[in-house]
Amino acid sequence: MYTSKISGLGYYVPENVVTNDDLSKIMDTNDAWIQERTGIKERRHIKKGDGNSTSIMGVKAAKVALERANLTTDDIDFIIFATLSPDMYFPGGGVRVQEMMNMSTVPALDVRNQCSGFVYAISVADQFIKTGMYKNVLVIGSENHSGGLDMTTRGRGVSVIFGDGAGAAVVTRSEEEGRGILSTHLHSEGAHAKELSLEGPSTEHWVPEIIAENPQDDIPYYPYMNGQFVFKNAVVRFSEVINEGLQANNLTASDINMLIPHQANLRISQFVQKQFRLSDDQVYNNIQKYGNTTAASIPIALTEAWESGKINEGDVVVLAAFGSGFTWGSVIIKW
């Protein structure tokens, strides 16, 4: 039985920094209001003409991950691309990455699990490797939120939260028992899908229908979030799925060396940290400078934590996410 491990990590964020003060110039908000509710100080947005897109950012992150894994594109057997914001309605970002990186005809799979996308994608990569089908899988989480946000006072409850960026990991076959990805745990609860959603344009809400049927002050082609409801569910599901992963591996919270939570809201991360009685050195947060980058948030944070020496060989690393769907999951890793 093969095992799988993360052999390379990389991330990319646009150069354009958008601070809370910048947002206060275009909507009724301020730095104190945003920080109190989310912990966010700034985020990165793609700027028109900077040459970025969801797929292009994914490629930039992937190239760093491949170099750190000491691999080339010829070594990659499979691409898994997690995003809610592909370059176009179809095809997905995976095949665009395959073309941009001049890969051979390797398969490309797109994962649409929003904030849980990277955790779900890692789980898929892990299973393909453990069954012996593939040896090296490129997993990418990339998001371009900024172009689809309501950047007015009406949309501030959502728009101040999100940023753009990409993260990538190379998942590689190993035969070392008890190391690498130990287990993954996935869940969903579709009953609450509309509490965090973007309903149109879609096959249920095509653009002409939206324009004809909806008053201008109720535009459904911007994201909707029931913030308090999402928060209450997130803190419960984060704790449940982290505990599930620990129990599956006969571990306890005291065994965690590093928790990388999805960067949805700093208050959620702090709540979970307190529940598990973890120190600041055991939890990595970077939402303060990047905002919520959805499928990209965990790989960006994981890469930064590793780069800064906060993750070392033998450490127990826990990844956990919760998001639209609702979907949630965890990954337990022995580094």
Side-chain angles (χ1 to χ4, degrees), residues 299-322:
I300 291 174
L302 179 61
T303 303
E304 281 199 335
W306 174 79
E307 287 177 344
S308 61
K310 296 181 181 294
I311 296 175
N312 299 288
E313 188 172 346
D315 283 354
V316 173
V317 178
V318 178
L319 315 180
F322 174 90

Side-chain angles (χ1 to χ4, degrees), residues 44-261:
R44 304 296 181 95
H45 283 177
I46 288 176
K47 198 171 184 178
K48 189 172 182 179
D50 71 0
N52 280 312
S53 71
T54 302
S55 298
I56 290 171
M57 290 191 298
V59 167
K60 291 175 179 179
K63 287 180 177 179
V64 176
L66 278 170
E67 182 179 352
R68 288 172 170 171
N70 293 315
L71 298 174
T72 70
T73 53
D74 292 335
D75 298 306
I76 297 299
D77 307 306
F78 189 35
I79 302 164
I80 307 177
F81 195 97
T83 189
L84 64 73
S85 52
D87 296 350
M88 57 188 79
Y89 201 101
F90 64 87
V95 294
R96 303 210 77 198
V97 168
Q98 182 268 341
E99 188 272 333
M100 290 177 187
M101 297 186 74
N102 296 313
M103 293 184 177
S104 62
T105 57
V106 298
L109 171 69
D110 281 55
V111 172
R112 290 292 304 276
N113 284 83
Q114 295 65 251
C115 296
S116 302
F118 186 77
V119 166
Y120 267 72
I122 285 288
S123 179
V124 174
D126 178 51
Q127 296 305 315
F128 270 116
I129 287 174
K130 285 179 175 174
T131 60
M133 187 164 185
Y134 298 123
K135 185 177 180 181
N136 296 300
V137 179
L138 176 61
V139 180
I140 298 170
S142 184
E143 302 289 3
N144 171 12
H145 291 115
S146 59
L149 297 173
D150 182 359
M151 302 300 285
T152 69
T153 299
R154 177 186 55 207
R156 66 180 176 177
V158 173
S159 299
V160 301
I161 296 172
F162 292 96
D164 303 337
V170 178
V171 184
T172 298
R173 182 189 299 172
S174 173
E175 296 183 14
E176 189 175 359
E177 290 188 24
R179 297 291 290 271
I181 298 173
L182 302 182
S183 64
T184 61
H185 309 270
L186 308 175
H187 297 275
S188 72
E189 189 176 19
H192 303 311
K194 289 191 175 182
E195 302 300 337
L196 178 52
S197 62
L198 175 57
E199 292 191 44
S202 67
T203 54
E204 291 185 349
H205 301 279
W206 288 118
V207 173
E209 295 173 357
I210 291 173
I211 294 172
E213 297 174 8
N214 292 275
Q216 197 64 21
D217 61 352
D218 184 26
I219 303 174
Y221 48 78
Y222 287 125
Y224 166 76
M225 180 171 66
N226 183 345
Q228 289 187 342
F229 188 81
V230 172
F231 187 102
K232 290 177 181 178
N233 278 265
V235 295
V236 171
R237 297 309 192 184
F238 262 112
S239 298
E240 287 179 352
V241 82
I242 291 169
N243 274 320
E244 180 183 359
L246 293 174
Q247 292 168 10
N249 294 283
N250 296 313
L251 299 169
T252 66
S254 62
D255 294 309
I256 298 174
N257 297 106
M258 181 56 65
L259 169 63
I260 310 283

